[in-house]
Amino acid sequence: MTGRLTIVGLGPGSAELLTPAASAALAAATDLVGYGPYLDRIPAGPASQRRHASDNRVELQRAQEALALAAAGQRVAVVSGGDPGIFAMAAAVLEAVESGEPAWRALPIDVVPGISAMQAASAEVGALLGHDFCAISLSDNLKPRAIIERRLKAALDADFVIAFYNPVSKARPDGLTAALDLARTIRSPQTPVVFARAVSRPDESIRIVTLAEAQSGMADMQTVVIIGSSATRLIAKADGSAWVLTPRSYEVPA
Ligand code: SAH
């Protein structure tokens, strides 16, 4: 049997947001490798399919394990939530290839994209990512805090809509507070901020607040927090709730 490795995006959670290509890649795998809660989302495959669950923090080790299995002839699917190319396993696998066994470079390695949390969140509220945007991970596990601050300041100055991934953790309770405080020095207090938690899952909750009201306690590690640009605004619905719109054309703020 010829081994191969496919890095599969599971989307934000709901089975309906898993692409047919991702489903096919999962069904074709002899071995599934990933963080335990992601593996738990995948319906049972063939009886012979094996699951290798790991902790969330050991991405490089997990990637090496998956590559070793593929090199031994298995058809391996490595899974990530959302899109595997966004703060996830596609980069971990290629990092492992870069520093690993020369034989791994001969393996067929494919990436199957998925719907990322920011896309699902934007869709839930309307058109929050309707114009230029960027994504910043607030996790300082893999990068210095100074870089987070520099990028955040630049993104705020450039008036991007900004999606924060990994917004809070026990190790970093104050990262989001610092980010919101910095945003408040640059953007209007009325700027819409969306806290989208567990999007597309049964426990989904979406909160739309102003930048003045936004607080770190509104987010956990299952939340993507998106700050609007100066052009982002609410469109009132007849029932009193609102869509969030970032229009396609940039209107210079008055
Ligand atoms: N590859 C993933 C992101 C992994 S980083 C993607 O493309 O979505 C993990 C972070 O993603 C979480 O801390 C949270 O900020 C965000 N996230 C993942 N799934 C989410 C969901 N269903 N709802 C809201 N945020 C989510």
Side-chain angles (χ1 to χ4, degrees):
M1 184 169 58
T2 313
R4 60 179 310 121
L5 194 152
T6 311
I7 308 150
V8 181
L10 300 179
S14 135
E16 290 173 359
L17 296 182
L18 182 76
T19 69
S23 291
L26 295 172
T30 57
D31 294 77
L32 301 181
V33 175
Y35 175 46
Y38 293 152
L39 291 179
D40 292 344
R41 280 200 223 155
I42 303 169
S48 59
Q49 192 177 63
R50 289 189 299 160
R51 293 180 177 225
H52 309 261
S54 59
D55 191 79
N56 206 13
R57 289 230 177 180
V58 294
E59 281 116 345
L60 192 62
Q61 193 185 318
R62 189 191 304 152
Q64 288 162 340
E65 183 189 322
L67 284 157
L69 280 168
Q74 301 299 105
R75 291 190 307 275
V76 182
V78 176
V79 302
S80 270
D83 182 86
I86 299 182
F87 307 126
M89 287 305 295
V93 168
L94 292 187
E95 286 161 26
V97 168
E98 189 181 38
S99 62
E101 306 281 332
W104 291 350
R105 295 180 187 233
L107 286 170
I109 298 176
D110 298 295
V111 182
V112 178
I115 295 171
S116 191
M118 65 185 166
Q119 294 170 278
S122 176
E124 279 297 302
V125 299
L128 177 51
L129 302 182
H131 200 66
D132 299 344
F133 65 89
C134 69
I136 299 179
S137 170
L138 291 185
S139 169
D140 58 7
N141 285 342
L142 299 169
K143 64 182 166 186
R145 275 188 191 210
I147 281 286
I148 301 178
E149 281 161 27
R150 191 172 113 201
R151 291 188 174 165
L152 176 56
K153 173 88 172 50
L156 286 164
D157 283 340
D159 205 16
F160 285 112
V161 172
I162 308 171
F164 293 129
Y165 284 73
N166 301 308
V168 284
S169 73
K170 286 199 191 89
R172 268 178 306 108
D174 55 342
L176 181 59
T177 301
L180 291 170
D181 285 346
L182 183 62
R184 281 188 267 265
T185 67
I186 297 175
R187 295 206 179 162
S188 149
Q190 292 312 310
T191 305
V193 180
V194 173
F195 289 82
R197 180 178 186 281
V199 179
S200 89
R201 298 186 206 141
D203 52 340
E204 169 180 306
S205 80
I206 309 270
R207 219 159 147 175
I208 303 170
V209 300
T210 64
L211 181 56
E213 295 162 339
Q215 286 174 25
S216 169
M218 297 173 178
D220 63 10
M221 275 309 268
Q222 297 196 59
T223 308
V224 62
V225 181
I226 309 183
I227 302 188
S229 73
S230 63
T232 304
R233 52 204 184 232
L234 302 187
I235 309 288
K237 295 187 197 179
D239 69 4
S241 64
W243 290 288
V244 186
L245 165 68
T246 306
R248 291 164 305 142
S249 59
Y250 189 72
E251 293 142 47
V252 177

